[in-house]
Amino acid sequence: MKRTISALLAIIMISAVACKKNSDPAPPAPGGGDTVITPKRDVIAWVDARSNVFGTYGRLNDTANIKTVLDTLQQVGVNGLVIDVKGSSGYTMYPSAYTKQVTTQDGKSITAGVDYVGYMIQEARKRNFKVYASIVTFVEGDGARNSGTVFDDANFRSKFESIVCDVNGNRVPITSTGRNAFVNPAQPEIQTRALNIIKEICTKYTFDGLILDYCRYTDIDADFSDFSKAEFIKYLEANYQDNDAKNMKFPQDIVATWRTNAGQTLPNTLGKYYKKWLMYRCHTIQQFFIKARQAVKSVKPDMKFGTYVGAWYTTYYQVGVNWASKDYDPFNDQELRFDWAYPKYGETGYAENLDLLMTGNYFTQLKLADNPATAGLKYHWWSVEGSLIGGMYITRNKMPLYGSIDMGNVDWASQADISKTIQYILGKASGGVMLFDVVHIYAPQYNRLKQPLWEAVRNGLKK
């Protein structure tokens, strides 16, 4: 799981963010019924497999190093892990009946005879850690290496690889753009594959919970396959009694023309079905979340079910995700205005299906008051404080929310700033803090400060 936030993006978006003056009425009481949220002190460290196990400076392919890293995590105050067990290649870190297992990559291998996932759980339990599994849900090929399920199986690729629009409006396979091989989340076979892997993980291992990562579309330019067209027409006919939908010009009636900005392909001229298309995509993802939760609970009813999302809700519609509560209606919210919202958009929210939510609050601006442009605002999706307030507001506190810090891909001015951010999230977020990623802490080559970050974490977690 790579989490990179462009400083340029934050600057561009600051003028377009939804916001609210402090003098406006207070937000409604949390949907869970609690009017006062007492933050937990769960400190969860994410363990990306590719970087930590197979990366040049990763250490977790060796059992002795695993023990050392986990010991040090415990010493600085961490009490849980998210272990990446299915990566962007589509392969798993354990023997699976549904996909290949990866044991060697980029010249590094897991110690022969060691069940990496089982060993990580075993050692985590010895330190009284909570342990969660994560899967990269709807990516089945590593575009940088041309490896993975999509690249192994031509038939799988032709049927399921996501189709995106380029800047000229041409529909092309996503791998032709150099990106990872996202697949179409609407495809029943893709959903079944993911659900089978979820149930397999829950059956084979004693995790405390399962976290869906990349459970989304690749971006606003997807998925424009013929299959998605047919499914969208059915959606329009069923939900809007639109008997003329079958005559639509596809994709022009959704997006007529495109433009590029900082490497992203974005709508330029919108078609008549654009906002309903956004609703269809969010509905597709919501329905999968319902199935995924059922899959987890069918195997282990007490196992937690959650997801990771970016905290920038104001633009997260672009990936087809509405992580808000169904009790939150962005179309009728008089405090926050979203020009992409449509009547009943709130019904596509999936927060009620979660036992926990991790949001990527990956910003160097900590407090709203730190910037004159945001000092008078309450909600601001491009600061840690503003995005945490906004996240708990739109989810109605239906589940514990874990604010997250990216310690490696963000341009931190100092270790002290990292510590302050960790400390703030712990005091604000209802669930606790997620630290991304373990490799950024122990390997200075993988963070922008080029320093080990153990002391930054330790100081941030001091009570």
Side-chain angles (χ1 to χ4, degrees):
M1 178 182 85
K2 286 194 175 181
R3 310 286 183 219
T4 57
I5 294 298
S6 165
L8 177 61
L9 178 60
I11 293 169
I12 291 171
M13 292 304 301
I14 194 169
S15 62
V17 297
C19 58
K20 171 187 180 292
K21 294 293 185 184
N22 281 326
S23 58
D24 288 348
D34 297 327
T35 55
V36 177
I37 299 299
T38 302
K40 297 180 181 179
R41 286 195 63 88
D42 284 350
V43 182
I44 311 296
W46 196 285
V47 187
D48 176 69
R50 189 168 72 183
S51 300
N52 284 282
V53 180
F54 304 116
T56 303
Y57 303 103
R59 300 178 183 175
L60 303 190
N61 65 320
D62 176 79
T63 54
N65 283 338
I66 288 174
K67 292 179 180 179
T68 299
V69 170
L70 297 192
D71 280 341
T72 315
L73 286 170
Q74 183 181 36
Q75 289 163 14
V76 300
V78 171
N79 57 22
L81 302 175
V82 176
I83 301 172
D84 174 15
V85 300
K86 175 183 177 285
S88 57
S89 64
Y91 303 156
T92 52
M93 296 294 291
Y94 66 90
S96 171
Y98 303 102
T99 189
K100 293 181 179 179
Q101 179 187 11
V102 56
T103 57
T104 299
Q105 185 173 287
D106 297 339
K108 293 185 72 173
S109 301
I110 298 170
T111 303
V114 173
D115 173 5
Y116 167 78
V117 175
Y119 190 81
M120 287 288 288
I121 295 172
Q122 170 190 302
E123 292 303 314
R125 295 291 183 212
K126 290 178 181 178
R127 293 156 181 82
N128 296 316
F129 284 1
K130 291 183 179 178
V131 196
Y132 302 89
S134 76
I135 66 168
V136 174
T137 313
F138 291 133
V139 186
E140 295 287 345
D142 182 339
R145 293 168 176 78
N146 287 338
S147 66
T149 308
V150 160
F151 298 98
D152 294 339
D153 186 335
N155 183 55
F156 182 96
R157 184 175 190 170
S158 66
K159 290 175 65 177
F160 305 128
E161 180 179 358
S162 186
I163 302 299
V164 300
C165 278
D166 65 17
V167 71
N168 297 313
N170 299 311
R171 296 189 290 155
V172 299
I174 189 171
T175 53
S176 70
T177 70
R179 287 178 281 176
N180 282 343
F182 273 79
V183 286
N184 185 355
Q187 284 278 6
E189 294 95 331
I190 289 298
Q191 293 195 12
T192 298
R193 171 183 167 85
L195 295 171
N196 284 337
I197 290 173
I198 287 169
K199 287 187 281 190
E200 181 179 63
I201 292 166
C202 296
T203 301
K204 288 176 72 75
Y205 296 105
T206 57
F207 284 108
D208 293 297
L210 183 131
I211 308 296
L212 299 185
D213 194 16
Y214 288 96
C215 191
R216 59 176 177 82
Y217 289 84
T218 180
D219 210 333
I220 194 66
D221 57 350
D223 173 278
F224 285 96
S225 63
D226 289 340
F227 182 85
S228 288
K229 175 185 177 181
E231 291 299 295
F232 182 46
I233 290 171
K234 292 178 187 176
Y235 175 83
L236 293 172
E237 291 173 342
N239 292 279
Y240 298 97
Q241 293 72 54
D242 186 346
N243 295 321
D244 192 47
K246 59 182 175 292
N247 298 316
M248 75 167 67
K249 296 178 181 178
F250 186 85
Q252 293 88 344
D253 278 345
I254 298 168
V255 178
T257 63
W258 299 83
R259 61 186 176 88
T260 59
N261 181 51
Q264 185 183 21
T265 302
L266 295 167
N268 185 46
T269 307
L270 304 181
K272 64 181 180 179
Y273 285 124
Y274 176 70
K275 289 189 177 182
K276 290 178 181 176
W277 172 255
L278 299 182
M279 294 265 288
Y280 155 73
R281 296 197 313 158
C282 285
H283 173 77
T284 298
I285 297 299
Q286 178 203 51
Q287 294 304 300
F288 178 78
F289 265 84
I290 293 170
K291 295 174 188 175
R293 179 182 177 84
Q294 291 172 343
V296 170
K297 303 298 182 177
S298 70
V299 178
K300 291 182 178 168
D302 295 331
M303 191 169 172
K304 301 295 185 184
F305 174 67
T307 191
Y308 166 88
V309 295
W312 41 100
Y313 183 79
T314 186
T315 59
Y316 219 65
Y317 73 93
Q318 293 178 343
V319 296
V321 168
N322 180 12
W323 50 269
S325 166
K326 290 172 70 175
D327 290 343
Y328 174 69
D329 182 359
F331 181 75
N332 287 311
D333 190 339
Q334 299 304 307
E335 299 182 275
L336 298 173
R337 304 301 299 171
F338 299 106
D339 60 7
W340 41 261
Y342 195 76
K344 297 187 178 182
Y345 188 96
E347 295 180 5
T348 67
Y350 65 53
E352 281 76 5
N353 294 288
L354 304 176
D355 298 313
L356 72 159
L357 173 67
M358 295 180 177
T359 59
N361 309 89
Y362 296 162
F363 316 111
T364 55
Q365 182 182 337
L366 177 57
K367 304 293 288 294
L368 292 165
D370 293 343
N371 185 336
T374 60
L377 307 180
K378 183 169 185 179
Y379 302 109
H380 172 249
W381 301 99
W382 305 96
S383 66
V384 176
E385 179 183 23
S387 59
L388 282 175
I389 292 171
M392 289 185 284
Y393 169 66
I394 66 171
T395 59
R396 297 300 196 256
N397 291 312
K398 294 293 176 123
M399 81 302 291
L401 185 149
Y402 291 72
S404 306
I405 177 175
D406 185 336
M407 295 177 291
N409 300 304
V410 172
D411 289 317
W412 297 104
S414 67
Q415 292 207 29
D417 286 342
I418 294 175
S419 300
K420 283 170 55 180
T421 300
I422 293 172
Q423 191 173 54
Y424 179 81
I425 293 173
L426 263 184
K428 189 73 174 178
S430 55
V433 63
M434 186 271 277
L435 309 175
F436 184 79
D437 177 281
V438 171
V439 76
H440 296 149
I441 304 174
Y442 67 71
Q445 299 87 348
Y446 289 150
N447 67 64
R448 304 270 176 98
L449 289 174
K450 303 304 177 186
Q451 303 166 6
L453 300 178
W454 291 114
E455 289 307 306
V457 175
R458 188 193 307 274
N459 291 333
L461 298 178
K462 283 181 179 178
K463 294 183 180 180

